[in-house]
Protein backbone atom coordinates (compact mmCIF):
# COMPACT_ATOMS: atom_id res chain seq x y z
CA UNK A 1 0.00 0.00 0.00
CA UNK A 2 1.15 3.48 -0.77
CA UNK A 3 1.34 6.01 2.00
CA UNK A 4 1.22 9.43 0.37
CA UNK A 5 2.43 11.24 3.44
CA UNK A 6 3.20 10.65 7.04
CA UNK A 7 1.83 14.04 8.02
CA UNK A 8 -1.31 13.80 10.13
CA UNK A 9 -3.18 16.61 8.36
CA UNK A 10 -2.51 15.51 4.79
CA UNK A 11 -4.56 12.92 2.92
CA UNK A 12 -3.12 9.45 2.78
CA UNK A 13 -3.93 7.58 -0.37
CA UNK A 14 -4.14 4.00 -1.67
CA UNK A 15 -3.99 3.45 -5.39
CA UNK A 16 -5.20 0.43 -7.27
CA UNK A 17 -1.72 -0.30 -8.63
CA UNK A 18 -0.37 -0.76 -5.14
CA UNK A 19 -3.51 -2.06 -3.45
CA UNK A 20 -3.56 -5.73 -2.57
CA UNK A 21 -5.83 -7.78 -4.81
CA UNK A 22 -7.84 -8.79 -1.77
CA UNK A 23 -8.77 -5.20 -1.06
CA UNK A 24 -9.23 -4.22 -4.67
CA UNK A 25 -11.71 -7.06 -5.22
CA UNK A 26 -14.50 -5.88 -2.94
CA UNK A 27 -16.40 -9.18 -3.21
CA UNK A 28 -13.87 -11.06 -1.09
CA UNK A 29 -14.66 -9.12 2.05
CA UNK A 30 -18.32 -10.21 2.17
CA UNK A 31 -17.95 -13.93 1.56
CA UNK A 32 -17.47 -14.62 5.28
CA UNK A 33 -20.52 -12.46 6.00
CA UNK A 34 -22.64 -14.51 3.59
CA UNK A 35 -21.89 -17.76 5.39
CA UNK A 36 -21.43 -16.49 8.94
CA UNK A 37 -24.59 -18.28 10.08
CA UNK A 38 -23.70 -21.55 8.35
CA UNK A 39 -22.43 -24.04 10.93
CA UNK A 40 -20.78 -26.58 8.62
CA UNK A 41 -19.53 -26.33 5.04
CA UNK A 42 -18.98 -29.71 3.40
CA UNK A 43 -17.37 -29.85 -0.06
CA UNK A 44 -18.20 -33.07 -1.91
CA UNK A 45 -15.18 -33.59 -4.09
CA UNK A 46 -13.15 -36.05 -6.15
CA UNK A 47 -10.07 -36.06 -8.28
CA UNK A 48 -12.06 -37.78 -11.02
CA UNK A 49 -15.27 -36.95 -12.90
CA UNK A 50 -18.20 -39.34 -13.23
CA UNK A 51 -17.81 -40.96 -9.82
CA UNK A 52 -21.15 -39.71 -8.44
CA UNK A 53 -20.26 -36.53 -6.54
CA UNK A 54 -23.45 -34.74 -7.56
CA UNK A 55 -25.57 -37.76 -6.61
CA UNK A 56 -23.86 -38.04 -3.23
CA UNK A 57 -24.15 -34.26 -2.65
CA UNK A 58 -27.86 -34.29 -3.57
CA UNK A 59 -28.66 -37.38 -1.50
CA UNK A 60 -26.65 -36.09 1.46
CA UNK A 61 -28.50 -32.75 1.34
CA UNK A 62 -31.87 -34.50 1.24
CA UNK A 63 -31.03 -36.94 4.04
CA UNK A 64 -29.83 -34.13 6.31
CA UNK A 65 -32.90 -32.02 5.52
CA UNK A 66 -35.19 -34.98 6.29
CA UNK A 67 -33.45 -35.42 9.61
CA UNK A 68 -34.55 -31.89 10.45
CA UNK A 69 -31.35 -29.98 9.73
CA UNK A 70 -31.32 -26.69 7.83
CA UNK A 71 -29.45 -27.48 4.63
CA UNK A 72 -28.15 -25.59 1.61
CA UNK A 73 -26.86 -27.18 -1.61
CA UNK A 74 -24.51 -25.10 -3.74
CA UNK A 75 -23.70 -26.55 -7.17
CA UNK A 76 -20.23 -25.26 -7.94
CA UNK A 77 -19.70 -27.49 -10.94
CA UNK A 78 -20.13 -24.34 -12.99
CA UNK A 79 -19.36 -25.78 -16.42
CA UNK A 80 -21.12 -29.14 -15.98
CA UNK A 81 -23.82 -28.71 -13.35
CA UNK A 82 -26.21 -31.61 -12.78
CA UNK A 83 -27.84 -31.38 -9.34
CA UNK A 84 -30.71 -29.38 -10.88
CA UNK A 85 -31.56 -32.48 -12.94
CA UNK A 86 -31.26 -34.89 -10.00
CA UNK A 87 -33.53 -32.74 -7.83
CA UNK A 88 -35.75 -31.47 -10.65
CA UNK A 89 -35.66 -27.84 -9.56
CA UNK A 90 -38.29 -27.00 -12.18
CA UNK A 91 -39.12 -23.35 -12.64
CA UNK A 92 -37.83 -22.24 -9.24
CA UNK A 93 -35.82 -19.02 -9.20
CA UNK A 94 -33.66 -17.23 -6.62
CA UNK A 95 -35.29 -14.22 -4.98
CA UNK A 96 -33.57 -10.86 -5.43
CA UNK A 97 -33.27 -9.22 -2.04
CA UNK A 98 -30.10 -7.23 -1.40
CA UNK A 99 -28.26 -9.99 -3.23
CA UNK A 100 -29.88 -13.29 -4.07
CA UNK A 101 -31.70 -15.65 -1.74
CA UNK A 102 -31.70 -19.31 -2.85
CA UNK A 103 -35.10 -20.91 -3.44
CA UNK A 104 -36.21 -23.85 -1.29
CA UNK A 105 -36.28 -27.13 -3.20
CA UNK A 106 -37.48 -30.25 -1.33
CA UNK A 107 -36.60 -28.56 1.96
CA UNK A 108 -33.13 -27.49 0.75
CA UNK A 109 -31.89 -23.96 0.00
CA UNK A 110 -30.57 -24.47 -3.49
CA UNK A 111 -28.24 -22.47 -5.74
CA UNK A 112 -26.85 -23.26 -9.18
CA UNK A 113 -25.43 -21.31 -12.12
CA UNK A 114 -28.14 -22.87 -14.27
CA UNK A 115 -30.57 -20.23 -12.99
CA UNK A 116 -28.56 -17.82 -15.14
CA UNK A 117 -27.00 -19.95 -17.89
CA UNK A 118 -30.28 -21.75 -18.67
CA UNK A 119 -28.42 -24.96 -19.51
CA UNK A 120 -26.44 -23.30 -22.29
CA UNK A 121 -22.81 -24.44 -22.52
CA UNK A 122 -20.79 -22.03 -20.38
CA UNK A 123 -17.11 -22.57 -21.16
CA UNK A 124 -14.99 -20.91 -18.48
CA UNK A 125 -11.23 -20.62 -18.37
CA UNK A 126 -9.48 -20.49 -15.00
CA UNK A 127 -9.79 -16.80 -14.18
CA UNK A 128 -13.38 -16.65 -15.43
CA UNK A 129 -14.23 -19.75 -13.39
CA UNK A 130 -12.80 -18.13 -10.25
CA UNK A 131 -14.61 -14.87 -10.93
CA UNK A 132 -17.96 -16.61 -11.43
CA UNK A 133 -17.45 -18.65 -8.26
CA UNK A 134 -16.49 -15.58 -6.19
CA UNK A 135 -19.42 -13.61 -7.60
CA UNK A 136 -21.88 -16.34 -6.64
CA UNK A 137 -20.37 -16.66 -3.19
CA UNK A 138 -20.45 -12.90 -2.66
CA UNK A 139 -24.06 -12.34 -3.66
CA UNK A 140 -25.80 -15.49 -2.38
CA UNK A 141 -27.37 -14.99 1.03
CA UNK A 142 -27.64 -18.40 2.64
CA UNK A 143 -29.07 -17.29 5.97
CA UNK A 144 -29.08 -19.70 8.93
CA UNK A 145 -27.98 -23.20 7.98
CA UNK A 146 -26.67 -26.25 9.82
CA UNK A 147 -25.04 -27.55 6.65
CA UNK A 148 -24.00 -26.07 3.34
CA UNK A 149 -23.19 -28.91 0.96
CA UNK A 150 -21.01 -27.85 -1.96
CA UNK A 151 -21.04 -29.99 -5.09
CA UNK A 152 -17.54 -29.50 -6.45
CA UNK A 153 -16.30 -29.97 -10.01
CA UNK A 154 -13.79 -32.81 -10.48
CA UNK A 155 -10.07 -32.30 -10.09
CA UNK A 156 -7.78 -30.13 -8.05
CA UNK A 157 -7.82 -26.89 -9.97
CA UNK A 158 -9.58 -23.55 -9.51
CA UNK A 159 -12.70 -24.57 -7.60
CA UNK A 160 -10.83 -26.68 -5.05
CA UNK A 161 -8.20 -24.02 -4.49
CA UNK A 162 -10.79 -21.25 -4.28
CA UNK A 163 -12.98 -23.08 -1.77
CA UNK A 164 -9.94 -23.80 0.41
CA UNK A 165 -8.85 -20.15 0.13
CA UNK A 166 -12.23 -18.51 0.59
CA UNK A 167 -13.97 -20.82 3.07
CA UNK A 168 -11.16 -21.81 5.37
CA UNK A 169 -13.40 -23.96 7.58
CA UNK A 170 -14.57 -26.18 4.69
CA UNK A 171 -14.46 -29.90 5.32
CA UNK A 172 -14.09 -32.29 2.41
CA UNK A 173 -16.07 -35.44 1.71
CA UNK A 174 -14.35 -37.45 -1.02
CA UNK A 175 -16.09 -39.69 -3.54
CA UNK A 176 -14.37 -42.38 -5.59
CA UNK A 177 -15.25 -45.50 -7.54
CA UNK A 178 -13.50 -48.85 -6.91
CA UNK A 179 -11.31 -48.15 -9.97
CA UNK A 180 -7.59 -47.77 -9.50
CA UNK A 181 -7.75 -45.00 -12.08
CA UNK A 182 -10.24 -43.01 -10.03
CA UNK A 183 -8.35 -43.62 -6.81
CA UNK A 184 -5.07 -42.53 -8.36
CA UNK A 185 -6.48 -39.01 -8.80
CA UNK A 186 -8.24 -39.16 -5.43
CA UNK A 187 -4.89 -39.85 -3.77
CA UNK A 188 -3.58 -36.57 -5.22
CA UNK A 189 -6.61 -34.72 -3.84
CA UNK A 190 -6.05 -36.28 -0.40
CA UNK A 191 -2.36 -35.34 -0.50
CA UNK A 192 -3.20 -31.75 -1.50
CA UNK A 193 -5.80 -31.37 1.24
CA UNK A 194 -3.51 -32.92 3.84
CA UNK A 195 -0.64 -30.63 2.85
CA UNK A 196 -2.94 -27.63 3.17
CA UNK A 197 -4.27 -28.95 6.51
CA UNK A 198 -7.84 -29.13 5.24
CA UNK A 199 -10.07 -31.54 7.13
CA UNK A 200 -11.23 -34.64 5.24
CA UNK A 201 -14.32 -36.08 6.90
CA UNK A 202 -14.39 -39.31 4.96
CA UNK A 203 -14.33 -41.16 1.70
CA UNK A 204 -17.28 -42.80 -0.05
CA UNK A 205 -16.74 -45.67 -2.48
CA UNK A 206 -19.46 -45.50 -5.12
CA UNK A 207 -20.54 -47.96 -7.85
CA UNK A 208 -19.04 -51.10 -6.33
CA UNK A 209 -19.51 -54.05 -8.64
CA UNK A 210 -17.58 -56.70 -6.71
CA UNK A 211 -16.14 -57.33 -3.28
CA UNK A 212 -12.75 -55.72 -2.86
CA UNK A 213 -11.04 -53.92 -0.03
CA UNK A 214 -8.74 -51.95 -2.34
CA UNK A 215 -10.28 -48.55 -1.55
CA UNK A 216 -10.80 -49.23 2.15
CA UNK A 217 -7.27 -50.49 2.71
CA UNK A 218 -5.78 -47.54 0.83
CA UNK A 219 -8.02 -45.07 2.69
CA UNK A 220 -6.81 -46.64 5.95
CA UNK A 221 -3.19 -46.28 4.84
CA UNK A 222 -3.78 -42.60 4.07
CA UNK A 223 -5.51 -42.05 7.39
CA UNK A 224 -8.86 -41.14 5.82
CA UNK A 225 -12.08 -42.51 7.32
CA UNK A 226 -13.76 -45.01 4.97
CA UNK A 227 -17.49 -44.28 5.24
CA UNK A 228 -18.55 -47.30 3.21
CA UNK A 229 -19.20 -48.69 -0.23
CA UNK A 230 -22.32 -48.20 -2.34
CA UNK A 231 -23.10 -51.00 -4.77
CA UNK A 232 -23.83 -50.10 -8.36
CA UNK A 233 -27.55 -49.32 -8.32
CA UNK A 234 -29.31 -50.19 -11.56
CA UNK A 235 -32.46 -48.40 -10.45
CA UNK A 236 -30.73 -45.07 -9.94
CA UNK A 237 -30.92 -43.76 -13.50
CA UNK A 238 -34.71 -44.07 -13.61
CA UNK A 239 -34.97 -42.14 -10.33
CA UNK A 240 -33.14 -39.03 -11.52
CA UNK A 241 -35.44 -36.04 -11.45
CA UNK A 242 -37.96 -37.78 -9.19
CA UNK A 243 -36.98 -37.11 -5.60
CA UNK A 244 -39.49 -39.54 -4.09
CA UNK A 245 -38.21 -42.34 -6.31
CA UNK A 246 -34.61 -41.26 -5.68
CA UNK A 247 -35.13 -41.46 -1.93
CA UNK A 248 -36.30 -45.07 -2.24
CA UNK A 249 -33.16 -46.29 -4.02
CA UNK A 250 -30.47 -48.43 -2.43
CA UNK A 251 -28.04 -45.62 -3.22
CA UNK A 252 -30.06 -43.16 -1.13
CA UNK A 253 -30.40 -45.61 1.76
CA UNK A 254 -26.61 -46.04 1.84
CA UNK A 255 -26.04 -42.26 1.81
CA UNK A 256 -28.60 -41.96 4.63
CA UNK A 257 -26.57 -44.44 6.68
CA UNK A 258 -23.31 -42.62 5.89
CA UNK A 259 -24.89 -39.29 6.85
CA UNK A 260 -25.57 -40.80 10.28
CA UNK A 261 -21.89 -41.69 10.59
CA UNK A 262 -20.87 -38.24 9.46
CA UNK A 263 -23.13 -36.61 12.02
CA UNK A 264 -21.63 -38.76 14.77
CA UNK A 265 -18.10 -37.94 13.58
CA UNK A 266 -18.84 -34.20 13.42
CA UNK A 267 -20.45 -34.30 16.87
CA UNK A 268 -17.48 -36.08 18.41
CA UNK A 269 -15.06 -33.71 16.62
CA UNK A 270 -16.91 -30.72 18.02
CA UNK A 271 -16.50 -31.89 21.59
CA UNK B 1 -31.16 -5.48 -6.16
CA UNK B 2 -27.76 -6.99 -6.76
CA UNK B 3 -26.43 -3.43 -6.35
CA UNK B 4 -27.11 -3.71 -2.62
CA UNK B 5 -24.88 -6.78 -2.28
CA UNK B 6 -22.07 -5.01 -4.13
CA UNK B 7 -22.52 -1.83 -2.07
CA UNK B 8 -22.27 -3.93 1.10
CA UNK B 9 -19.08 -5.53 -0.22
CA UNK B 10 -17.58 -2.12 -1.00
CA UNK B 11 -18.41 -0.68 2.45
CA UNK B 12 -16.99 -3.79 4.09
CA UNK B 13 -13.74 -3.47 2.12
CA UNK B 14 -13.33 0.26 2.87
CA UNK B 15 -13.89 -0.52 6.56
CA UNK B 16 -11.03 -3.03 6.35
CA UNK B 17 -8.77 -0.33 4.89
CA UNK B 18 -9.84 2.11 7.62
CA UNK B 19 -8.97 -0.40 10.34
CA UNK B 20 -5.78 -1.81 8.84
CA UNK B 21 -4.35 1.66 8.19
CA UNK B 22 -5.73 3.15 11.43
CA UNK B 23 -7.43 6.04 9.64
CA UNK B 24 -9.44 8.55 11.63
CA UNK B 25 -11.35 9.83 8.65
CA UNK B 26 -11.98 8.77 5.07
CA UNK B 27 -12.26 11.64 2.61
CA UNK B 28 -12.70 10.00 -0.77
CA UNK B 29 -13.37 6.55 -2.14
CA UNK B 30 -12.63 5.71 -5.76
CA UNK B 31 -14.84 2.97 -7.20
CA UNK B 32 -14.40 1.21 -10.52
CA UNK B 33 -17.53 -0.11 -12.21
CA UNK B 34 -17.34 -2.40 -15.20
CA UNK B 35 -19.96 -1.76 -17.85
CA UNK B 36 -20.48 -5.48 -18.47
CA UNK B 37 -22.23 -5.92 -15.12
CA UNK B 38 -24.80 -3.29 -16.08
CA UNK B 39 -24.97 -1.78 -12.59
CA UNK B 40 -27.76 0.73 -12.01
CA UNK B 41 -25.60 3.57 -10.69
CA UNK B 42 -28.50 5.36 -8.99
CA UNK B 43 -29.51 2.25 -7.01
CA UNK B 44 -25.84 1.57 -6.21
CA UNK B 45 -25.33 5.14 -4.93
CA UNK B 46 -28.55 4.96 -2.92
CA UNK B 47 -27.47 1.63 -1.38
CA UNK B 48 -24.08 3.14 -0.46
CA UNK B 49 -25.78 6.09 1.23
CA UNK B 50 -28.11 3.79 3.16
CA UNK B 51 -25.46 1.29 4.21
CA UNK B 52 -22.54 3.56 5.04
CA UNK B 53 -21.67 3.72 8.71
CA UNK B 54 -21.12 7.00 10.57
CA UNK B 55 -17.39 7.01 9.93
CA UNK B 56 -18.06 7.21 6.19
CA UNK B 57 -20.68 9.98 6.39
CA UNK B 58 -18.33 12.63 5.06
CA UNK B 59 -16.60 10.47 2.48
CA UNK B 60 -17.13 11.29 -1.15
CA UNK B 61 -17.58 8.45 -3.62
CA UNK B 62 -16.00 8.92 -7.07
CA UNK B 63 -17.08 6.50 -9.77
CA UNK B 64 -15.13 5.44 -12.83
CA UNK B 65 -17.15 3.56 -15.44
CA UNK B 66 -14.96 1.19 -17.47
CA UNK B 67 -16.13 0.13 -20.91
CA UNK B 68 -16.32 -3.59 -21.62
CA UNK B 69 -13.49 -4.90 -23.74
CA UNK B 70 -13.52 -8.51 -24.93
CA UNK B 71 -10.78 -10.21 -26.95
CA UNK B 72 -11.29 -13.33 -29.04
CA UNK B 73 -8.69 -15.99 -28.34
CA UNK B 74 -9.15 -17.51 -31.79
CA UNK B 75 -8.88 -14.52 -34.16
CA UNK B 76 -7.66 -11.79 -31.77
CA UNK B 77 -10.56 -9.45 -32.54
CA UNK B 78 -11.40 -6.97 -29.77
CA UNK B 79 -14.91 -5.67 -29.29
CA UNK B 80 -17.35 -4.12 -26.87
CA UNK B 81 -20.78 -5.74 -26.83
CA UNK B 82 -23.68 -3.32 -27.16
CA UNK B 83 -26.20 -3.55 -24.38
CA UNK B 84 -29.13 -2.93 -26.72
CA UNK B 85 -28.19 -6.03 -28.71
CA UNK B 86 -28.91 -8.30 -25.74
CA UNK B 87 -32.37 -9.21 -24.58
CA UNK B 88 -33.40 -8.34 -21.06
CA UNK B 89 -33.07 -11.88 -19.68
CA UNK B 90 -29.49 -12.18 -20.91
CA UNK B 91 -28.61 -8.74 -19.55
CA UNK B 92 -30.01 -9.74 -16.18
CA UNK B 93 -28.05 -13.01 -16.14
CA UNK B 94 -24.81 -11.16 -16.99
CA UNK B 95 -25.68 -8.52 -14.37
CA UNK B 96 -25.57 -11.23 -11.68
CA UNK B 97 -22.59 -13.18 -13.02
CA UNK B 98 -20.61 -11.35 -15.74
CA UNK B 99 -18.91 -14.61 -16.78
CA UNK B 100 -22.30 -15.87 -17.93
CA UNK B 101 -21.48 -13.78 -21.01
CA UNK B 102 -19.55 -16.87 -22.14
CA UNK B 103 -22.89 -18.63 -22.54
CA UNK B 104 -24.46 -15.90 -24.65
CA UNK B 105 -21.82 -13.82 -26.47
CA UNK B 106 -19.83 -14.73 -29.58
CA UNK B 107 -16.93 -13.07 -31.36
CA UNK B 108 -18.60 -10.88 -34.00
CA UNK B 109 -15.78 -11.60 -36.45
CA UNK B 110 -15.28 -15.39 -36.26
CA UNK B 111 -18.19 -16.57 -34.09
CA UNK B 112 -15.95 -18.14 -31.44
CA UNK B 113 -17.12 -18.49 -27.85
CA UNK B 114 -13.51 -18.48 -26.66
CA UNK B 115 -12.82 -14.93 -25.54
CA UNK B 116 -11.27 -13.10 -22.61
CA UNK B 117 -12.89 -10.30 -20.64
CA UNK B 118 -10.06 -7.77 -20.84
CA UNK B 119 -11.80 -4.94 -19.02
CA UNK B 120 -15.14 -3.92 -17.68
CA UNK B 121 -16.28 -6.69 -15.34
CA UNK B 122 -17.46 -6.22 -11.77
CA UNK B 123 -17.04 -3.54 -9.14
CA UNK B 124 -13.72 -2.78 -7.49
CA UNK B 125 -12.02 -0.37 -5.13
CA UNK B 126 -9.72 1.99 -7.05
CA UNK B 127 -8.37 4.03 -4.15
CA UNK B 128 -9.08 5.40 -0.70
CA UNK B 129 -8.03 8.81 0.58
CA UNK B 130 -8.12 9.53 4.27
CA UNK B 131 -6.53 11.12 7.31
CA UNK B 132 -5.06 9.59 10.42
Amino acid sequence: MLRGSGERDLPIGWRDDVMSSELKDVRLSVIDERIKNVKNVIAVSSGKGGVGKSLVASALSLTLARRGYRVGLFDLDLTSPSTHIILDVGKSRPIEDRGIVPPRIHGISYMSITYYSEDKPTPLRGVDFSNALIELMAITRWGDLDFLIVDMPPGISDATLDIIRLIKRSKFLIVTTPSKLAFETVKKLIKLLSDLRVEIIGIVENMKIKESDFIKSNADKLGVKYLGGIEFDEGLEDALGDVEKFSKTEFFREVWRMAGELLRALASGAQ
Amino acid sequence: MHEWALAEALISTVTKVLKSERLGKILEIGVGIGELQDIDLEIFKFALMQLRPDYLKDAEFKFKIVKTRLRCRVCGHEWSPRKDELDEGVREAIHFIPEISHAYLRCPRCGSIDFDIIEGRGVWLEYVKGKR
Side-chain angles (χ1 to χ4, degrees):
Chain A
M1 290 226 174
L2 178 72
R3 284 169 175 77
S5 164
E7 301 293 325
R8 289 179 63 85
D9 56 344
L10 289 175
I12 299 169
W14 289 264
R15 295 200 322 252
D16 65 337
D17 56 339
V18 288
M19 190 178 289
S20 72
S21 57
E22 192 183 340
L23 286 178
K24 192 177 176 189
D25 187 346
V26 300
R27 301 168 302 172
L28 298 175
S29 59
V30 287
I31 289 176
D32 283 345
E33 178 69 22
R34 297 286 180 251
I35 54 163
K36 73 175 180 190
N37 294 323
V38 175
K39 290 180 185 164
N40 297 281
V41 180
I42 297 178
V44 180
S45 184
S46 180
K48 201 78 171 165
V51 298
K53 289 181 300 300
S54 300
L55 285 163
V56 169
S58 301
L60 181 61
S61 301
L62 286 168
T63 64
L64 291 170
R66 288 180 184 189
R67 279 176 156 102
Y69 292 101
R70 297 163 301 175
V71 181
L73 175 58
F74 196 1
D75 194 333
L76 273 191
D77 197 349
L78 302 182
T79 56
S80 311
S82 59
T83 54
H84 63 296
I85 306 285
I86 299 166
L87 297 175
D88 183 24
V89 303
K91 294 189 186 306
S92 63
R93 296 285 299 176
I95 297 161
E96 295 176 41
D97 179 14
R98 299 191 173 207
I100 50 178
V101 178
R104 299 266 294 169
I105 310 289
H106 312 295
I108 300 165
S109 298
Y110 178 76
M111 190 64 205
S112 165
I113 197 170
T114 54
Y115 285 127
Y116 303 101
S117 62
E118 295 180 346
D119 264 358
K120 286 187 164 51
T122 312
L124 296 174
R125 289 180 181 272
V127 67
D128 292 323
F129 190 101
S130 273
N131 267 324
L133 183 152
I134 292 168
E135 197 77 30
L136 274 169
M137 291 175 71
I139 63 175
T140 307
R141 296 174 54 199
W142 290 101
D144 296 341
L145 292 179
D146 296 304
F147 292 95
L148 177 60
I149 308 298
V150 185
D151 183 26
M152 301 287 289
I156 51 173
S157 54
D158 301 272
T160 306
L161 296 172
D162 279 333
I163 285 290
I164 294 168
R165 173 172 70 108
L166 300 170
I167 309 179
K168 294 193 168 50
R169 59 196 172 90
S170 305
K171 299 176 170 81
F172 275 66
L173 174 65
I174 296 176
V175 183
T176 185
T177 67
S179 165
K180 286 174 186 163
L181 299 181
F183 196 71
E184 188 57 30
T185 62
V186 162
K187 270 199 301 195
K188 292 186 175 72
L189 174 63
I190 292 172
K191 174 84 167 65
L192 173 79
L193 296 173
S194 303
D195 286 351
L196 296 174
R197 299 178 192 282
V198 177
E199 186 177 345
I200 301 170
I201 53 176
I203 187 164
V204 175
E205 182 181 11
N206 189 25
M207 293 190 263
K208 282 193 81 162
I209 46 174
K210 62 176 185 181
E211 270 312 308
S212 161
D213 71 346
F214 172 73
I215 299 295
K216 183 178 183 319
S217 60
N218 275 283
D220 289 346
K221 272 187 221 164
L222 293 165
V224 177
K225 184 177 174 61
Y226 179 79
L227 289 168
I230 305 174
E231 287 186 14
F232 183 81
D233 184 346
E234 286 184 358
L236 196 51
E237 189 64 25
D238 290 337
L240 302 182
D242 182 337
V243 164
E244 284 318 304
K245 218 169 170 180
F246 182 51
S247 55
K248 290 186 176 74
T249 60
E250 275 305 311
F251 174 89
F252 190 89
R253 272 193 278 273
E254 272 303 306
V255 175
W256 180 283
R257 185 193 61 73
M258 289 176 192
E261 273 204 57
L262 273 182
L263 288 168
R264 280 188 289 279
L266 288 170
S268 64
Q271 283 168 3
Chain B
M1 297 303 276
H2 182 216
E3 284 80 0
W4 282 83
L6 295 170
E8 189 186 349
L10 182 70
I11 298 280
S12 170
T13 307
V14 173
T15 302
K16 274 190 178 177
V17 172
L18 178 106
K19 286 178 181 167
S20 68
E21 301 302 325
R22 301 186 307 279
L23 291 176
K25 193 173 188 182
I26 288 188
L27 304 168
E28 193 175 303
I29 299 160
V31 186
I33 297 178
E35 218 178 30
L36 184 60
Q37 199 147 13
D38 202 12
I39 296 291
D40 185 322
L41 195 54
E42 289 313 309
I43 295 177
F44 188 56
K45 283 178 181 172
F46 179 73
L48 287 171
M49 293 306 116
Q50 294 293 307
L51 294 172
R52 66 178 174 178
D54 283 345
Y55 51 80
L56 293 181
K57 288 287 184 226
D58 298 326
E60 190 180 353
F61 289 92
K62 296 267 175 124
F63 301 96
K64 180 175 95 173
I65 310 296
V66 177
K67 202 173 169 62
T68 307
R69 209 152 57 87
L70 310 178
R71 184 188 295 140
C72 179
R73 278 190 175 249
V74 176
C75 73
H77 180 62
E78 280 193 20
W79 82 102
S80 300
R82 282 175 43 199
K83 275 195 288 189
D84 57 5
E85 288 173 340
L86 305 171
D87 76 46
E88 204 178 320
V90 172
R91 279 173 62 177
E92 189 186 83
I94 294 174
H95 168 65
F96 281 105
I97 311 166
E99 285 66 34
I100 286 290
S101 55
H102 287 278
Y104 297 101
L105 302 183
R106 300 283 180 274
C107 170
R109 187 201 271 170
C110 74
S112 171
I113 52 163
D114 190 6
F115 59 85
D116 292 326
I117 303 170
I118 305 296
E119 270 190 325
R121 86 158 306 288
V123 171
W124 62 95
L125 187 58
E126 281 267 323
Y127 63 86
V128 174
K129 285 182 185 169
K131 278 184 182 178
R132 287 228 166 83

